[in-house]
Amino acid sequence: MTATLQTKKLRNFIDGDWVEVEASTAVINPATGEEIVQVPLSSSENVHQAVYAAKQAQKEWALVPAPQRAEVLYRVGYLMKERKERLSQLLTMENGKVIEEARGEVQEGIDMAFYMAGEGRRLFGQTTPAELKDKFAMSQRCPVGVVGIITPWNFPIAIATWKSFPAIVAGNAVIWKPATETPIMAYELASIFEEAGLPKGIMNVVFGTGSTVGDAMVHHEDIRIISFTGSNDTGRNIAAECGKQLKKVSLEMGGKNAVIVMEDADVDLAVEGILWSAFGTSGQRCTACSRVIVHEDVKSTLEERLLAEMEKLTIGNGLDERNKIGPIINQKGVEKIKSYIQIGKDEGAKLLAGGYEWKDDSHQDGIFFAPTLFTDANSSMRIAQEEIFGPVVSLIPVESFEEAIKVNNGVTFGLSSSIFTKDVNRVFQAQRDLDTGIVYVNAGTTGAEIHLPFGGTKGTGNGHRDSGVQALDVFTEWKAVYVDYSGKLQRAQIDVD
Ligand code: NAP
């Protein structure tokens, strides 16, 4: 039986209460065009209420020993595990990704819960020798206070867990603004936090648009960090505003990720990797492969095999287990993809497959796009430089390994890259020279594991990382502590003999 929501309209979760907001808009299932639920369009006043509650609650929470804070995350993990199928189905309904991928995304959240719960007994600082006699020195992590989390629609639950779980175990309180397109995961996760016994005011969910709710968070003086994942334009504006306030900001933004296929690659394996990373989530992943940099010796073989496998990809509602390609999030997304198909053609790339909006008799009201393959692209084309965020991949032929690395690095983004080769020397050269935050060898560009740092170089971010132990650096301040037990005043750098 398919999961259903008990309510027709979601409510904000503020200070442990479910708060109704009058204005709302519809959440649409992109595979069917049907309304699933109404989501509140909150005001900046709702943000102020949430921040006020969070600020009070955080003072107490910071005093709870971290291993006890972690107990809540363990319970959250178990509840998510119990509800994995329900969460996955609702995720597919609001976002469109096929159910297998939705289950993977929910699992990522479960993994993050247990991993970060473990951090409750680590949160390591350092003890280090002091330079003076009878003096003790150490560093420790401290919570920052109230943190603001702004998330996109393409990973409605995983990204929120990458951010909120480390924030909470570290002793912060959270204001979370999910994307208006995909609010259901936030609603479900807030309910899970409530059931898990998280004290009131530590997790607050405020639904609404970026321009109102997001903007109010960015400008609120009591929110000490903004952790944002989304597009480059929005991220840059947020960073500029946070810069003026000297507010910490962590940005995870777009990608233009490439798979390199060398002449000695296992081409069948490369085809599998490309299909999964280019067309999974209909290409709407920040790590999606949208360029294939192929050695000219294997170009025609790769094209042939890719085309043969692309024909087998079934498109349709993601709740049907047989489908491999789900919908595009909304009409605006499709229009953007269509504009890039035209750009690619005008630039002289050769369209080998797809390039059109897809519909069939049972999917008249959904929004789908056929898997698309361009070939004979070159690195300077816009289709090889800009994020398309759809199931569109462009083959760029190269003559050498060195050229492949240069083409990979010749974009403004630096999120993920991959190389297929059997040459161990090239493997090590590639992992050294590929200028991206994530590198895969003999696998596609997607598939991050939560205990490793996630993020990118150059225009993808601003040097922070989501997930992994590195996420704790975003949500903590370092404090250096010196304890002098000599009984006299000892001056550092001066009384040292
Ligand atoms: P987006 O339009 O930038 O939106 C992201 C979030 O920011 C949404 O919650 C949005 O709210 C909010 N927002 C919009 N304007 C805002 C403002 N002025 N102030 C504060 N918040 C604001 O991005 P998207 O289209 O949803 O997501 C796709 C992008 O995310 C792609 O570029 C993708 O590569 C990137 N992404 C990156 C990663 C990564 O880890 N590097 C992971 C996933 C996705 P509303 O939409 O509700 O208005």
Side-chain angles (χ1 to χ4, degrees):
M1 213 174 64
T2 312
T4 50
L5 282 171
Q6 303 300 318
T7 177
K8 288 194 175 347
K9 187 174 168 192
L10 305 181
R11 282 178 289 170
N12 286 337
F13 187 61
I14 296 177
D15 203 14
D17 286 332
W18 295 96
V19 183
E20 184 131 4
V21 172
E22 204 173 314
S24 66
T25 188
V27 179
I28 303 293
N29 180 335
T32 64
E34 287 162 3
E35 177 177 327
I36 313 171
V37 74
Q38 287 280 317
V39 57
L41 292 174
S42 309
S43 63
S44 53
E45 185 49 36
N46 299 128
V47 174
H48 292 294
Q49 287 156 1
V51 177
Y52 180 79
K55 198 175 169 190
Q56 308 312 312
Q58 192 271 333
K59 290 178 194 148
E60 295 290 316
W61 186 238
L63 299 178
V64 175
Q68 286 178 36
R69 297 198 293 253
E71 289 297 324
V72 178
L73 283 190
Y74 281 119
R75 290 197 289 277
V76 166
Y78 283 118
L79 286 166
M80 288 178 76
K81 214 169 158 177
E82 252 173 59
R83 286 180 208 169
K84 180 173 170 183
E85 191 53 25
R86 172 186 168 77
L87 292 169
S88 306
Q89 290 182 12
L90 290 171
L91 202 170
T92 291
M93 285 160 70
E94 67 172 347
N95 162 283
K97 66 178 65 177
V98 296
I99 189 70
E100 184 185 25
E101 291 182 52
R103 289 184 189 124
E105 182 178 342
V106 174
Q107 186 58 46
E108 205 168 333
I110 296 167
D111 295 342
M112 194 66 187
F114 293 126
Y115 174 61
M116 273 300 148
E119 277 308 314
R121 287 191 182 269
R122 287 186 291 266
L123 283 178
F124 294 135
Q126 292 177 323
T127 58
T128 179
E131 66 185 34
L132 292 159
K133 265 191 204 160
D134 297 331
K135 189 176 173 192
F136 175 85
M138 67 176 174
S139 62
Q140 61 188 36
R141 289 185 185 278
C142 303
V144 185
V146 179
V147 308
I149 287 175
I150 300 176
T151 53
W153 50 264
N154 70 334
F155 278 85
I157 195 160
I159 291 175
T161 68
W162 294 352
K163 297 176 188 295
S164 64
F165 292 177
I168 285 172
V169 82
N172 301 286
V174 174
I175 313 292
W176 173 18
K177 192 213 93 60
T180 307
E181 243 107 9
T182 55
I184 297 172
M185 286 301 100
Y187 184 75
E188 292 285 311
L189 193 55
S191 311
I192 285 175
F193 269 118
E194 187 183 30
E195 269 184 68
L198 185 73
K200 290 171 187 238
I202 299 303
M203 165 55 86
N204 303 274
V205 176
V206 184
F207 297 107
T209 63
S211 53
T212 301
V213 173
D215 191 66
M217 289 167 65
V218 169
H219 285 91
H220 202 298
E221 62 177 0
D222 287 331
I223 294 186
R224 305 271 305 276
I225 297 177
I226 294 287
S227 175
F228 167 85
T229 298
S231 63
N232 280 65
D233 287 348
T234 311
R236 274 171 199 269
N237 289 337
I238 290 176
E241 188 46 49
C242 289
K244 282 187 218 155
Q245 302 169 48
L246 293 184
K247 182 178 290 195
K248 193 171 175 183
V249 59
S250 154
L251 305 172
E252 290 299 342
M253 302 179 290
K256 190 68 188 175
N257 315 292
V259 166
I260 298 172
V261 184
M262 293 309 300
E263 73 277 25
D264 64 344
D266 175 339
V267 176
D268 288 331
L269 182 63
V271 166
E272 274 190 67
I274 294 165
L275 286 178
W276 178 237
S277 47
F279 304 127
T281 324
S282 290
Q284 303 168 105
R285 286 173 171 235
C286 51
T287 52
C289 162
S290 63
R291 300 181 293 157
V292 173
I293 302 167
V294 57
H295 193 282
E296 57 185 8
D297 289 358
V298 285
K299 178 183 165 245
S300 57
T301 316
L302 184 74
E303 281 172 2
E304 204 178 292
R305 294 194 199 168
L306 255 179
L307 284 171
E309 292 305 315
M310 282 171 67
E311 273 185 23
K312 298 181 196 161
L313 294 171
T314 42
I315 308 176
N317 190 331
L319 285 179
D320 183 336
E321 308 261 358
R322 291 167 300 185
N323 291 331
K324 296 286 176 223
I325 310 279
I328 301 301
I329 189 70
N330 54 30
Q331 199 56 39
K332 197 171 148 216
V334 167
E335 295 309 323
K336 182 177 174 196
I337 299 166
K338 279 181 5 197
S339 77
Y340 275 103
I341 302 298
Q342 193 54 48
I343 290 168
K345 287 180 185 167
D346 293 347
E347 286 177 318
K350 197 162 134 201
L351 185 64
L352 287 184
Y356 56 88
E357 247 187 290
W358 177 95
K359 285 210 192 297
D360 74 0
D361 288 346
S362 48
H363 296 91
Q364 281 300 312
D365 298 318
I367 307 164
F368 297 88
F369 203 87
T372 298
L373 182 63
F374 276 111
T375 192
D376 296 332
N378 68 54
S379 191
S380 62
M381 291 178 177
R382 284 182 63 193
I383 55 163
Q385 286 288 329
E386 298 170 17
E387 192 180 44
I388 300 173
F389 230 53
V392 181
V393 69
S394 302
L395 262 56
I396 306 171
V398 292
E399 291 175 5
S400 66
F401 171 76
E402 291 71 23
E403 189 185 352
I405 298 285
K406 193 169 162 210
V407 170
N408 180 83
N409 293 346
V411 290
T412 55
F413 301 103
L415 185 51
S416 181
S417 55
S418 132
I419 182 165
F420 283 84
T421 178
K422 291 181 187 141
D423 182 333
V424 72
N425 293 348
R426 279 181 176 161
V427 166
F428 278 86
Q429 287 161 13
Q431 62 82 24
R432 180 194 62 200
D433 296 340
L434 289 168
D435 189 1
T436 51
I438 307 168
V439 171
Y440 293 93
V441 175
N442 294 325
T445 53
T446 60
E449 298 182 26
I450 57 93
H451 53 299
L452 279 85
F454 185 95
T457 61
K458 300 191 284 185
T460 291
N462 63 342
H464 295 286
R465 292 292 183 265
D466 271 348
S467 87
V469 74
Q470 291 76 8
L472 291 170
D473 287 334
V474 175
F475 299 108
T476 53
E477 291 280 9
W478 280 109
K479 187 176 280 180
V481 178
Y482 303 94
V483 180
D484 193 316
Y485 54 96
S486 68
K488 57 186 180 198
L489 180 69
Q490 300 195 90
R491 297 170 300 172
Q493 295 93 38
I494 295 170
D495 299 327
V496 194
D497 291 318

